[in-house]
Amino acid sequence: MTRLAVSTHEVWLELLMAGFMASGKSKQILFDFSDIVFRHFTWMEQYLIDEGIEYDYNRQSIPIKVDKLSVILADIAFRLRQIDLQLIVCGDQALCERITSDIGYITFVLNNIEDETVSAFDLSRKFGDCDLTQEATDALTLFLFEESYKEYELIMIYNYLKAHTQDHYLIRVFQILIDESFFHLKSFGQMMADMGILGVPRVIYKELYKITDVTQFLKDGINEEILAKEECKKLSEAVGNESVELSRFFDCINMQEDYHIELMKRALEHYESINNDK
C-alpha cells in the first residue's frame, strides 16, 4: 500500500504537468483529474495512518519532457492501470472500488483527448506579448523555479500536518493553506510552461514535513511568508515597467501572503492555547 501511495503521488504530479502542457478544454480536464488523483493519494495516506503503517513522501523522478501531449497521456494511462492492478492489496473495499471506478473513467478520457504539439520545453523564456528586459526575464525565471518548488513543498507539508492532527481548527487552517498553495503552484507552473521552462518540483526531504515541533514550524513559516512577500514585491517592481499584467499578478500574490501570515499567527495562537491547557 505504501508503494501504491507513492505511485499515486507520481501520477498526480504527472497529470498536473500534463495540464500545464495542454490547451483549451483539455487543460481543465487534466487539472480536474489531477485534483481527483490527489484526493486518492490523501485517502491512501489516511488508510496508512489508520493501519499504523510508516510512510513518507519520497518518490521517483518523473520524466515529462515530450514533444506531443499524447506521449505523456499514454504514460499516465499506463501508470493508472498499474495502480488499478495493485489495488488488491488495499484492505478498504469501498476505497478500492472508488479508485478503480475513477481510473476506468480517467483512462477512457485520456485515450480520447486530442493530441497537440507541446511547447512547454522550448526555452523561449517569453511570456506572451510582454517585452521583458533580460534582467526582468532572469529574475522571473529564477522566481518561478524557486516558488513552484516552495508551493509544492507547502502543499505536502500542510497535507502531512492536516493528516496527523485531530484538531478541527488546525485542519481548517491547513486546508485553506493547501488550497492557496495549489492556486500559486498552478499559476507559477502555467507561467513556466508558457515560457518553455516547465519542470517537476524536486523531491522533498522528509525532515521538512515530519515535524516534531509544530510551534517552531509555525513561527518559521510566518517568517518565510514575510520573506516571500519581499520577493513578490521585488519581482513586481522588476517587471512593472514592462508588464502591468505581471506586476498586478505579483501584487495580488503579495497580498495573499498577508492573509497566510494572519492564518498562521492564529494557528500558532490556537496550538499554543490547546497545549497549555493539557
Side-chain angles (χ1 to χ4, degrees):
M1 195 63 182
T2 53
R3 180 58 225 171
L4 270 175
V6 172
S7 297
T8 304
H9 183 173
E10 293 167 353
V11 172
W12 156 55
L13 275 176
E14 194 171 9
L15 273 164
L16 186 62
M17 295 298 118
F20 295 139
M21 301 175 202
S23 63
K25 183 180 177 182
S26 298
K27 178 179 295 295
Q28 189 56 54
I29 290 172
L30 292 169
F31 283 158
D32 288 343
F33 286 165
S34 73
D35 290 343
I36 290 173
V37 174
F38 182 76
R39 289 198 291 276
H40 291 176
F41 171 73
T42 63
W43 296 337
M44 289 181 180
E45 180 179 33
Q46 190 60 56
Y47 175 86
L48 293 171
I49 293 170
D50 292 344
E51 295 296 314
I53 301 172
E54 185 70 19
Y55 72 98
D56 58 41
Y57 289 157
N58 193 25
R59 58 174 171 80
Q60 298 298 313
S61 61
I62 305 170
I64 61 168
K65 192 172 181 180
V66 296
D67 296 322
K68 292 288 187 178
L69 185 64
S70 59
V71 176
I72 193 168
L73 296 187
D75 186 64
I76 292 169
F78 174 78
R79 285 173 176 257
L80 284 169
R81 287 192 293 270
Q82 293 298 109
I83 290 172
D84 192 24
L85 290 173
Q86 298 172 53
L87 279 171
I88 192 171
V89 303
C90 179
D92 186 332
Q93 183 177 355
L95 176 60
C96 178
E97 290 174 354
R98 164 60 194 267
I99 295 176
T100 293
S101 175
D102 285 350
I103 286 176
Y105 176 66
I106 291 171
T107 53
F108 168 77
V109 175
L110 292 181
N111 289 331
N112 289 278
I113 286 180
E114 185 175 351
D115 197 12
E116 56 183 288
T117 301
V118 172
S119 61
F121 310 101
D122 64 13
L123 302 179
S124 66
R125 296 213 301 160
K126 294 285 292 180
F127 185 74
D129 296 328
C130 298
D131 187 19
L132 299 179
T133 64
Q134 185 66 46
E135 181 183 0
T137 299
D138 291 344
L140 179 57
T141 299
L142 180 61
F143 177 89
L144 291 175
F145 274 105
E146 290 181 343
E147 293 302 304
S148 62
Y149 168 71
K150 191 200 85 169
E151 297 301 341
Y152 166 68
E153 176 186 288
L154 289 176
I155 288 169
M156 302 313 296
I157 291 172
Y158 292 135
N159 183 71
Y160 192 88
L161 289 170
K162 178 189 169 189
H164 288 83
T165 183
Q166 299 297 317
D167 186 275
H168 294 293
Y169 184 86
L170 292 177
I171 288 172
R172 173 181 171 276
V173 170
F174 291 146
Q175 185 59 58
I176 293 171
L177 292 170
I178 289 168
D179 293 340
E180 293 281 274
S181 288
F182 261 116
F183 170 69
H184 291 183
L185 176 58
K186 286 181 177 179
S187 298
F188 299 150
Q190 191 57 58
M191 292 173 71
M192 293 175 76
D194 292 343
M195 294 175 67
I197 56 173
L198 183 62
V200 181
R202 61 187 180 273
V203 176
I204 304 171
Y205 294 115
K206 64 182 179 181
E207 290 79 11
L208 292 175
Y209 54 85
K210 292 197 171 184
I211 296 161
T212 56
D213 188 342
V214 176
T215 297
Q216 190 60 49
F217 164 75
L218 290 171
K219 289 179 179 178
D220 291 342
I222 291 168
N223 291 329
E224 287 178 9
E225 293 289 352
I226 292 172
L227 291 175
K229 278 176 55 64
E230 289 302 312
E231 290 302 314
C232 279
K233 184 179 179 181
K234 289 178 184 177
L235 192 56
S236 177
E237 293 171 351
V239 303
N241 294 330
E242 290 83 21
S243 172
V244 174
E245 177 188 355
L246 278 176
S247 181
R248 290 292 298 274
F249 169 73
F250 287 113
D251 284 344
C252 177
I253 296 295
N254 185 29
M255 292 303 297
Q256 289 181 352
E257 302 290 4
D258 280 337
Y259 191 58
H260 298 171
I261 292 169
E262 180 61 26
L263 283 172
M264 295 180 77
K265 286 180 178 178
R266 294 179 186 180
L268 175 60
E269 181 180 345
H270 176 79
Y271 184 79
E272 289 180 329
S273 69
I274 60 176
N275 279 277
N276 289 337
D277 292 340
K278 290 182 180 179

